[in-house]
Amino acid sequence: MAVLAGLGLLLAPSGGSLADGGEAYPSKIALGEALFHDPNLSKNRSQSCSTCHAPGAGFVDARQTDLVGSDVSLGDDGQSLGGRNAPTAGYAALTPPFSKGSDGEYRGGFFWDGRARTLEDQAGGPPLNPVEMGMPDKAAVISRLREDPSYDRSFRVLYGRSVFQDDETAYSAMVNALAEYERGPEFSSFDSRYDRYLRGEEKLTDQEELGRVLFFSQQFTNCSICHEVRGPNGLKDAVFTNHKYFNIGVPANPRLAAGTAGAAKPDLGLAENPLVAGEPTARGKFKVPSLRNVAVTGPYMHNGVFRDLRSVVLFYVKYNSIKKSRQINPETGQEWGAPEVPDNLAMEQLTAGPALDDKRVDAIVAFLKTLTDRRYEPLLTQEKLKQ
């Protein structure tokens, strides 16, 4: 971690300087990185942001529990299990704030149900969640921060001398530092084989190219309806989501036991977002995730019900196929489970494309693997060895 000695050389936002010397983090990004990896911000000092969003694992939770594997995350108390799969923090900063469009559709926001409007709102949630980091209140979090002289000095330099005068101000500064770190290039590198292909640095294999053509097609698949292939500036910054919410009929995850948060009742998704206030048309809808690094960030869906990427593609294919074999979940050998929430199924989108044969399914999976950032490409080999 880069640090800056001689703090008197670093000016506070007000133009003054601190005279107490020592070391401090030189920027909000550097401070946010330290906070992201600090387990002292959890009740039992055992869990940090990076525990459930591990930088070496595509910013998802790679830990395995006996009961649910990595379908959902284990909390700081060593017992509590969340009710949803921890989504990747990679490329999350490119998500727009939660809003409702003139068309009545919700878009953007953070967590699977969009309940955090902005990246800062999201960063402030886990420390206070009783089944995650478990801190009782903001005052307790700020007290932990002030145990570390480097934090104390850094916050006063970067956010002003009065930052600790009240807990709300200090907490807002903390989540801003976390968000600034997440907005950095470590989280959104755009250096996958697909990106290198766009820049003319690499070629795709024939199978990957077939998968790309199919994925981009509006005639032969329905992928790009929700996983948009263009970003604000064209293909080069696409994160492969329209940031909207749909119910695609995901079945309940039978591995999530009664002890898992919320497992006793159906997960209503967007309808549980306080900003939506239980609108009936929001029941069962979840945010369309980015497909960046999707091949190395399983298990999949909001509840981690599918563990293999090919299974996910086949789950979509079942809506357009009359073959009996396509109605079987390859992970269980049984029929695909019924939708956990049967309301508001996006049948128009789900049935927009034709059924795909194995060659085309495999091609789409191959293309999705090209969306893996360079640093995670070795994980593709590891996943292949597990199969």
PDB file of all heavy atoms in Angstrom, residues 39 47 66 74 100 181 197 206 214 231 237 248 269 271 282 333 338 340 358 364 379:
ATOM      1  N   PRO A  39     -10.546  -6.191   8.135  1.00  0.00           N
ATOM      2  CA  PRO A  39     -11.532  -6.977   8.881  1.00  0.00           C
ATOM      3  C   PRO A  39     -11.967  -6.325  10.188  1.00  0.00           C
ATOM      4  O   PRO A  39     -12.951  -6.745  10.799  1.00  0.00           O
ATOM      5  CB  PRO A  39     -10.807  -8.300   9.138  1.00  0.00           C
ATOM      6  CG  PRO A  39      -9.367  -7.928   9.162  1.00  0.00           C
ATOM      7  CD  PRO A  39      -9.218  -6.825   8.151  1.00  0.00           C
ATOM      8  N   GLN A  47     -14.006 -10.256   9.159  1.00  0.00           N
ATOM      9  CA  GLN A  47     -14.528 -10.169   7.798  1.00  0.00           C
ATOM     10  C   GLN A  47     -14.387  -8.751   7.266  1.00  0.00           C
ATOM     11  O   GLN A  47     -14.713  -7.777   7.945  1.00  0.00           O
ATOM     12  CB  GLN A  47     -15.998 -10.576   7.787  1.00  0.00           C
ATOM     13  CG  GLN A  47     -16.620 -10.663   6.417  1.00  0.00           C
ATOM     14  CD  GLN A  47     -17.938 -11.416   6.443  1.00  0.00           C
ATOM     15  OE1 GLN A  47     -18.002 -12.529   6.940  1.00  0.00           O
ATOM     16  NE2 GLN A  47     -18.979 -10.816   5.907  1.00  0.00           N
ATOM     17  N   ASP A  66     -19.786 -26.000   4.266  1.00  0.00           N
ATOM     18  CA  ASP A  66     -20.265 -27.382   4.149  1.00  0.00           C
ATOM     19  C   ASP A  66     -21.699 -27.440   3.663  1.00  0.00           C
ATOM     20  O   ASP A  66     -22.077 -28.343   2.907  1.00  0.00           O
ATOM     21  CB  ASP A  66     -20.156 -28.090   5.506  1.00  0.00           C
ATOM     22  CG  ASP A  66     -18.717 -28.300   5.951  1.00  0.00           C
ATOM     23  OD1 ASP A  66     -17.835 -28.307   5.074  1.00  0.00           O
ATOM     24  OD2 ASP A  66     -18.478 -28.441   7.164  1.00  0.00           O
ATOM     25  N   LEU A  74     -21.111 -16.623   4.154  1.00  0.00           N
ATOM     26  CA  LEU A  74     -21.087 -16.777   5.605  1.00  0.00           C
ATOM     27  C   LEU A  74     -20.774 -15.435   6.244  1.00  0.00           C
ATOM     28  O   LEU A  74     -19.908 -14.693   5.784  1.00  0.00           O
ATOM     29  CB  LEU A  74     -20.020 -17.801   5.981  1.00  0.00           C
ATOM     30  CG  LEU A  74     -19.904 -18.212   7.446  1.00  0.00           C
ATOM     31  CD1 LEU A  74     -21.140 -19.008   7.871  1.00  0.00           C
ATOM     32  CD2 LEU A  74     -18.641 -19.039   7.655  1.00  0.00           C
ATOM     33  N   LYS A 100     -36.517   5.060 -11.858  1.00  0.00           N
ATOM     34  CA  LYS A 100     -37.662   4.547 -12.610  1.00  0.00           C
ATOM     35  C   LYS A 100     -37.827   5.403 -13.844  1.00  0.00           C
ATOM     36  O   LYS A 100     -37.970   6.630 -13.752  1.00  0.00           O
ATOM     37  CB  LYS A 100     -38.934   4.585 -11.758  1.00  0.00           C
ATOM     38  CG  LYS A 100     -40.135   3.921 -12.411  1.00  0.00           C
ATOM     39  CD  LYS A 100     -41.326   3.925 -11.463  1.00  0.00           C
ATOM     40  CE  LYS A 100     -42.504   3.156 -12.050  1.00  0.00           C
ATOM     41  NZ  LYS A 100     -43.671   3.133 -11.114  1.00  0.00           N
ATOM     42  N   TYR A 181     -12.440   3.794  -4.465  1.00  0.00           N
ATOM     43  CA  TYR A 181     -11.572   2.651  -4.774  1.00  0.00           C
ATOM     44  C   TYR A 181     -12.244   1.745  -5.807  1.00  0.00           C
ATOM     45  O   TYR A 181     -11.606   1.305  -6.776  1.00  0.00           O
ATOM     46  CB  TYR A 181     -11.269   1.889  -3.489  1.00  0.00           C
ATOM     47  CG  TYR A 181     -10.537   0.583  -3.680  1.00  0.00           C
ATOM     48  CD1 TYR A 181      -9.368   0.501  -4.443  1.00  0.00           C
ATOM     49  CD2 TYR A 181     -11.011  -0.586  -3.072  1.00  0.00           C
ATOM     50  CE1 TYR A 181      -8.699  -0.703  -4.605  1.00  0.00           C
ATOM     51  CE2 TYR A 181     -10.339  -1.790  -3.225  1.00  0.00           C
ATOM     52  CZ  TYR A 181      -9.193  -1.855  -3.991  1.00  0.00           C
ATOM     53  OH  TYR A 181      -8.531  -3.055  -4.147  1.00  0.00           O
ATOM     54  N   TYR A 197      -9.463  -8.441 -28.648  1.00  0.00           N
ATOM     55  CA  TYR A 197     -10.001  -8.707 -29.984  1.00  0.00           C
ATOM     56  C   TYR A 197     -10.535  -7.408 -30.601  1.00  0.00           C
ATOM     57  O   TYR A 197     -10.269  -7.103 -31.776  1.00  0.00           O
ATOM     58  CB  TYR A 197     -11.105  -9.761 -29.879  1.00  0.00           C
ATOM     59  CG  TYR A 197     -12.110  -9.753 -31.001  1.00  0.00           C
ATOM     60  CD1 TYR A 197     -11.836 -10.339 -32.229  1.00  0.00           C
ATOM     61  CD2 TYR A 197     -13.367  -9.153 -30.809  1.00  0.00           C
ATOM     62  CE1 TYR A 197     -12.776 -10.336 -33.259  1.00  0.00           C
ATOM     63  CE2 TYR A 197     -14.302  -9.140 -31.829  1.00  0.00           C
ATOM     64  CZ  TYR A 197     -14.009  -9.722 -33.050  1.00  0.00           C
ATOM     65  OH  TYR A 197     -14.937  -9.713 -34.060  1.00  0.00           O
ATOM     66  N   ASP A 206     -12.600 -20.094 -33.923  1.00  0.00           N
ATOM     67  CA  ASP A 206     -13.822 -20.253 -34.712  1.00  0.00           C
ATOM     68  C   ASP A 206     -15.031 -20.445 -33.795  1.00  0.00           C
ATOM     69  O   ASP A 206     -16.110 -19.899 -34.051  1.00  0.00           O
ATOM     70  CB  ASP A 206     -13.689 -21.442 -35.660  1.00  0.00           C
ATOM     71  CG  ASP A 206     -12.708 -21.181 -36.794  1.00  0.00           C
ATOM     72  OD1 ASP A 206     -12.354 -19.999 -37.016  1.00  0.00           O
ATOM     73  OD2 ASP A 206     -12.295 -22.154 -37.447  1.00  0.00           O
ATOM     74  N   LEU A 214     -23.608 -15.321 -32.511  1.00  0.00           N
ATOM     75  CA  LEU A 214     -24.902 -15.732 -31.963  1.00  0.00           C
ATOM     76  C   LEU A 214     -25.352 -14.788 -30.855  1.00  0.00           C
ATOM     77  O   LEU A 214     -26.512 -14.374 -30.803  1.00  0.00           O
ATOM     78  CB  LEU A 214     -24.811 -17.162 -31.429  1.00  0.00           C
ATOM     79  CG  LEU A 214     -24.668 -18.272 -32.455  1.00  0.00           C
ATOM     80  CD1 LEU A 214     -24.309 -19.588 -31.773  1.00  0.00           C
ATOM     81  CD2 LEU A 214     -25.962 -18.435 -33.260  1.00  0.00           C
ATOM     82  N   GLY A 231     -21.848  -0.240 -24.731  1.00  0.00           N
ATOM     83  CA  GLY A 231     -21.812   0.634 -23.582  1.00  0.00           C
ATOM     84  C   GLY A 231     -22.065   2.068 -23.998  1.00  0.00           C
ATOM     85  O   GLY A 231     -22.454   2.334 -25.145  1.00  0.00           O
ATOM     86  N   ASP A 237     -16.754  -0.377 -24.186  1.00  0.00           N
ATOM     87  CA  ASP A 237     -16.976  -0.277 -22.748  1.00  0.00           C
ATOM     88  C   ASP A 237     -18.287  -0.930 -22.317  1.00  0.00           C
ATOM     89  O   ASP A 237     -18.875  -0.575 -21.306  1.00  0.00           O
ATOM     90  CB  ASP A 237     -16.939   1.181 -22.275  1.00  0.00           C
ATOM     91  CG  ASP A 237     -17.955   2.061 -22.999  1.00  0.00           C
ATOM     92  OD1 ASP A 237     -18.698   1.544 -23.852  1.00  0.00           O
ATOM     93  OD2 ASP A 237     -17.996   3.266 -22.693  1.00  0.00           O
ATOM     94  N   ILE A 248     -36.977 -14.201 -14.695  1.00  0.00           N
ATOM     95  CA  ILE A 248     -36.724 -15.192 -15.744  1.00  0.00           C
ATOM     96  C   ILE A 248     -37.075 -16.602 -15.282  1.00  0.00           C
ATOM     97  O   ILE A 248     -36.709 -17.584 -15.916  1.00  0.00           O
ATOM     98  CB  ILE A 248     -35.257 -15.136 -16.222  1.00  0.00           C
ATOM     99  CG1 ILE A 248     -34.291 -15.398 -15.061  1.00  0.00           C
ATOM    100  CG2 ILE A 248     -34.970 -13.786 -16.884  1.00  0.00           C
ATOM    101  CD1 ILE A 248     -32.849 -15.563 -15.494  1.00  0.00           C
ATOM    102  N   GLY A 269     -37.430 -10.363  -4.709  1.00  0.00           N
ATOM    103  CA  GLY A 269     -36.530  -9.528  -5.492  1.00  0.00           C
ATOM    104  C   GLY A 269     -36.866  -8.055  -5.429  1.00  0.00           C
ATOM    105  O   GLY A 269     -36.959  -7.452  -4.355  1.00  0.00           O
ATOM    106  N   ALA A 271     -39.427  -6.372  -5.628  1.00  0.00           N
ATOM    107  CA  ALA A 271     -40.579  -5.989  -4.811  1.00  0.00           C
ATOM    108  C   ALA A 271     -40.204  -5.787  -3.348  1.00  0.00           C
ATOM    109  O   ALA A 271     -40.974  -5.194  -2.591  1.00  0.00           O
ATOM    110  CB  ALA A 271     -41.682  -7.041  -4.925  1.00  0.00           C
ATOM    111  N   ALA A 282     -43.429  -5.918  -9.648  1.00  0.00           N
ATOM    112  CA  ALA A 282     -42.000  -6.077  -9.373  1.00  0.00           C
ATOM    113  C   ALA A 282     -41.678  -7.431  -8.759  1.00  0.00           C
ATOM    114  O   ALA A 282     -40.505  -7.782  -8.607  1.00  0.00           O
ATOM    115  CB  ALA A 282     -41.522  -4.964  -8.430  1.00  0.00           C
ATOM    116  N   GLY A 333     -30.075 -33.849 -13.058  1.00  0.00           N
ATOM    117  CA  GLY A 333     -30.643 -34.987 -13.773  1.00  0.00           C
ATOM    118  C   GLY A 333     -32.161 -35.017 -13.704  1.00  0.00           C
ATOM    119  O   GLY A 333     -32.784 -35.993 -14.118  1.00  0.00           O
ATOM    120  N   ALA A 338     -39.564 -25.420 -10.818  1.00  0.00           N
ATOM    121  CA  ALA A 338     -40.550 -24.390 -11.144  1.00  0.00           C
ATOM    122  C   ALA A 338     -40.040 -23.029 -10.682  1.00  0.00           C
ATOM    123  O   ALA A 338     -39.231 -22.932  -9.757  1.00  0.00           O
ATOM    124  CB  ALA A 338     -41.870 -24.717 -10.455  1.00  0.00           C
ATOM    125  N   GLU A 340     -39.441 -19.862  -8.642  1.00  0.00           N
ATOM    126  CA  GLU A 340     -39.707 -19.575  -7.230  1.00  0.00           C
ATOM    127  C   GLU A 340     -40.844 -18.569  -7.097  1.00  0.00           C
ATOM    128  O   GLU A 340     -41.675 -18.664  -6.195  1.00  0.00           O
ATOM    129  CB  GLU A 340     -38.447 -19.030  -6.558  1.00  0.00           C
ATOM    130  CG  GLU A 340     -38.632 -18.756  -5.076  1.00  0.00           C
ATOM    131  CD  GLU A 340     -37.367 -18.300  -4.394  1.00  0.00           C
ATOM    132  OE1 GLU A 340     -36.413 -17.909  -5.093  1.00  0.00           O
ATOM    133  OE2 GLU A 340     -37.330 -18.338  -3.155  1.00  0.00           O
ATOM    134  N   ASP A 358     -26.401 -28.240 -29.319  1.00  0.00           N
ATOM    135  CA  ASP A 358     -25.233 -28.283 -28.438  1.00  0.00           C
ATOM    136  C   ASP A 358     -24.061 -27.468 -28.997  1.00  0.00           C
ATOM    137  O   ASP A 358     -23.327 -26.818 -28.243  1.00  0.00           O
ATOM    138  CB  ASP A 358     -24.785 -29.725 -28.205  1.00  0.00           C
ATOM    139  CG  ASP A 358     -25.690 -30.472 -27.245  1.00  0.00           C
ATOM    140  OD1 ASP A 358     -26.461 -29.809 -26.517  1.00  0.00           O
ATOM    141  OD2 ASP A 358     -25.634 -31.712 -27.208  1.00  0.00           O
ATOM    142  N   ILE A 364     -21.603 -20.296 -27.403  1.00  0.00           N
ATOM    143  CA  ILE A 364     -21.945 -19.149 -26.554  1.00  0.00           C
ATOM    144  C   ILE A 364     -21.143 -19.195 -25.260  1.00  0.00           C
ATOM    145  O   ILE A 364     -20.618 -18.173 -24.795  1.00  0.00           O
ATOM    146  CB  ILE A 364     -23.464 -19.120 -26.278  1.00  0.00           C
ATOM    147  CG1 ILE A 364     -24.200 -18.728 -27.555  1.00  0.00           C
ATOM    148  CG2 ILE A 364     -23.792 -18.146 -25.144  1.00  0.00           C
ATOM    149  CD1 ILE A 364     -25.704 -18.808 -27.444  1.00  0.00           C
ATOM    150  N   LEU A 379      -7.835 -18.725 -13.958  1.00  0.00           N
ATOM    151  CA  LEU A 379      -8.966 -19.383 -13.294  1.00  0.00           C
ATOM    152  C   LEU A 379      -9.786 -20.206 -14.258  1.00  0.00           C
ATOM    153  O   LEU A 379     -10.428 -21.180 -13.853  1.00  0.00           O
ATOM    154  CB  LEU A 379      -9.855 -18.329 -12.622  1.00  0.00           C
ATOM    155  CG  LEU A 379      -9.233 -17.489 -11.505  1.00  0.00           C
ATOM    156  CD1 LEU A 379     -10.257 -16.501 -10.949  1.00  0.00           C
ATOM    157  CD2 LEU A 379      -8.692 -18.373 -10.396  1.00  0.00           C
TER     158      LEU A 379
END
